[in-house]
Amino acid sequence: MLAVSKSISRIGYRFGCKILPLLPKWPGEVAFIKLLNTQLSEELEDGLFDFLDEQILEVTVTDLGIRLRVSKRGDQFVRAPAGVPADSTISANSADFLAIASGREDPDTLFFQRRLSLGGQTEIGLTVKNRLDALDRSRIPQWAQRGLELIAAELAAVVAN
Amino acid sequence: MELVCPAGSLPALEAAVDNGADAVYIGFNDETNARNFGGLNFNDKNALRALERIRNRGRKLFVAINTYAKPDSFARWQAAVDRAAGLNADAVILADIGLMGYARERHPELALHLSVQASATSAPALEFYRQQFGIRRAVLPRVLSLKQVQQLAAASKVELEVFGFGSLCIMAEGRCHLSSYVTGESPNQNGVCSPAKTVEWRNAAGGLETRLNGVLIDRFAENENAGYPTLCKGRFIVDGKRQHALEEPTSLNSMALLPELKAAGIQAIKLEGRQRSPAYVAQIVRTWREAIDEVLQRGADFSVKDSWRDTLSKNSEGKQTTLGAYDRPWQ
């Protein structure tokens, strides 16, 4: 299991670094926003993400050249229109984003070390961070959580080398 | 020695409990606490869940209502005390003297902890709060040297809690309005230093620039570690030299003093960071739990392990730590 996840991370990462920046738009954007809408439906209904109404948040994964532009309208996250500048931007490399997602590292720590950067309206970025921190992780299946942790650990090593 | 840990969300509270917190302190999601940031803290529903998880694990829950009430909205602070009492929290952490009077009169059974923001630094001050409001514990300001802490501990009739780890500010505790000169809001009045809506980070030719309400307060070269965007940690030109005129971005770490603090009779160690993620809480709580257990076991034989020091430094503001005022032999 460990060896498999190791080689998947390593090969996948090298492949991603080469291919993804060549694409005009990250093909996963639609799927990712769909996933956010299903996973965060309760929070959306409770109005916890209303601060993103008609605002554009741009998340950039620097090493993979992935740019995710998300906004919110009504009770849904939506893709942000092209050509309109973002209100708030967050960027870091893939290993650091995964470290945050898997609960391995604290975003403020990465910020102090200049590995995570914020631009535009700081309040949007900060509120997104706090909202995501407050999500109940027990809703993520145990295997998925464990997988995320493994890949995060592995990617941290791959990127460091 | 009780380990008192921060939580800005339920997952952070769980991280604290899982990693060995004896007590966790939280705030409500408004200006009645000094970490009033968007998306952070507990509404009534989550505060109840927090209490349930704390009770299930046999730990303690403290509620920080540690800002100063405004004359025209005192009712909001009273309501916060009522909510904490209704929750059956193990203590409230208060700074405002009027609010302490209210809590004492309205909820005589509710334990009161004197917040660091009240800035009580002498035995007569602590005794005054004990006689007037029956405070059970006081959190000591981070301006005292170790010797002064020891002297206070010898004289005090209330339990004392000191800071173990966390981001440092200029430490004019309970009296700092620096942020409001530039942003109109300050920690003690509005629960927030450098409100996020006034903060701007911009990449410029000279490096990463930080602005507060349009005022440039710092510029970081490419490999320089950054800190929180507070006025006290900005760099300014003084006598022709650009420098940290007031304070450097750094975190306090008093772990090396644990044997002395224990011998002095300090009852609790507080960790800072309700604004941080569960990942931070898990790492620093685990580290301090191990260190406190080691002190309890080995006493004066204790020494700080490299791995503990590394974890704390890594999570520090500006990536550096200091003993702060504890280490001021001249004081």
Side-chain angles (χ1 to χ4, degrees), chain B residues 114-252:
Chain B
L114 188 68
S115 164
V116 63
Q117 301 294 99
S119 211
T121 51
S122 68
L126 294 176
E127 187 53 16
F128 172 81
Y129 282 108
R130 191 185 70 84
Q131 284 177 5
Q132 296 299 314
F133 308 108
I135 61 163
R136 182 184 294 173
R137 178 183 293 181
V139 186
L140 292 184
R142 294 163 289 179
V143 296
L144 301 171
S145 67
L146 177 63
K147 199 166 122 201
Q148 289 172 319
V149 170
Q150 288 164 330
Q151 285 165 350
L152 263 186
S156 174
K157 289 184 188 160
V158 299
E159 293 180 5
L160 296 181
E161 178 174 312
V162 300
F163 272 87
F165 181 77
S167 231
L168 274 185
C169 64
I170 191 163
M171 297 184 291
E173 275 150 342
R175 300 179 182 117
C176 191
H177 296 275
L178 203 50
S179 167
S180 68
Y181 286 100
V182 184
T183 70
E185 294 184 23
S186 73
N188 297 298
Q189 295 271 279
N190 311 87
V192 57
C193 183
S194 303
K197 62 181 182 237
T198 66
V199 176
E200 187 194 353
W201 302 94
R202 194 190 296 166
N203 274 310
L208 177 68
E209 295 183 348
T210 319
R211 282 185 169 74
L212 263 189
N213 229 358
V215 178
L216 182 68
I217 61 164
D218 212 341
R219 187 184 290 129
F220 298 97
E222 196 164 337
N223 290 318
E224 260 179 326
N225 289 313
Y228 284 125
T230 64
L231 202 51
C232 65
K233 289 166 198 158
R235 274 177 285 193
F236 306 96
I237 297 166
V238 181
D239 290 339
K241 205 177 146 212
R242 188 172 157 267
Q243 56 186 303
H244 287 109
L246 300 168
E247 178 85 72
E248 281 186 45
T250 184
S251 289
L252 176 76

Side-chain angles (χ1 to χ4, degrees), chain A residues 106 108-109 112 114 122 130 133, chain B residues 38 199 221 226 228 276-277 315:
Chain A
D106 170 75
D108 289 24
T109 295
F112 294 149
R114 306 287 301 280
T122 308
N130 288 334
D133 275 348
Chain B
V199 176
Y228 284 125
R276 306 286 292 259
S277 285
N315 282 291

